[in-house]
Amino acid sequence: MNTKSLLQLCGAAMVALLPLSTVSAQSAKASPDDKVAKMKADLSLSDDQVAKLKEIYAEQKAAADPIMQDKSLTKEQRQEKLKPIKEATKTKVNAVLTPEQQAKMKAAKKEKKDKKDS
């Protein structure tokens, strides 16, 4: 898996972890507040969902930052270490979103990927 894919998954959290949008390198660099603000606009999140997602993404950032800053790791090693963090984030995010919001996020992620591939 290359860095681009990793960033996309991260943000998978962001679209599916990250909505949507957020699966790009730009999104991966976005703060938890920025990610959730984008999701709020795209998915019509409640205030309770916003608070929970900010916490989830802050936890993800806290866990991922040391790995990303560890220059002794190869890109592949970093990606491997980030996989469980991303998967846990995705699971937590999906637990907060309604089925409709999950579907909307998935569709937006697919649309973004399709545009990128074309």
Side-chain angles (χ1 to χ4, degrees):
M1 175 180 279
N2 62 27
T3 301
K4 189 174 183 181
S5 297
L6 177 63
L7 291 175
Q8 289 176 338
L9 288 178
C10 237
M14 312 195 162
V15 166
L17 282 202
L18 240 192
L20 350 180
S21 63
T22 36
V23 179
S24 68
Q26 182 179 10
S27 299
K29 294 178 183 178
S31 73
D33 287 346
D34 293 340
K35 291 175 187 178
V36 175
K38 172 74 171 132
M39 291 177 74
K40 181 176 183 176
D42 292 345
L43 303 176
S44 302
L45 300 176
S46 70
D47 290 342
D48 184 51
Q49 287 175 309
V50 167
K52 289 176 181 177
L53 291 172
K54 282 182 181 182
E55 185 176 326
I56 291 167
Y57 287 124
E59 290 171 2
Q60 178 191 31
K61 183 174 177 7
D65 279 354
I67 296 167
M68 294 303 296
Q69 295 170 3
D70 187 346
K71 301 302 179 194
S72 70
L73 298 174
T74 65
K75 180 171 67 171
E76 293 76 19
Q77 289 170 326
R78 270 190 224 104
Q79 290 170 349
E80 276 303 308
K81 288 183 176 250
L82 289 170
K83 277 183 187 180
I85 295 169
K86 290 186 286 184
E87 285 302 316
T89 299
K90 182 177 180 178
T91 299
K92 291 175 186 177
V93 168
N94 282 330
V96 171
L97 300 178
T98 66
E100 294 81 13
Q101 289 168 325
Q102 292 173 24
K104 198 172 189 180
M105 190 167 73
K106 185 176 181 179
K109 181 180 178 182
K110 183 183 182 319
E111 182 180 328
K112 184 170 182 158
K113 183 184 183 301
D114 290 348
K115 282 184 181 180
K116 191 176 192 178
D117 291 344
S118 59

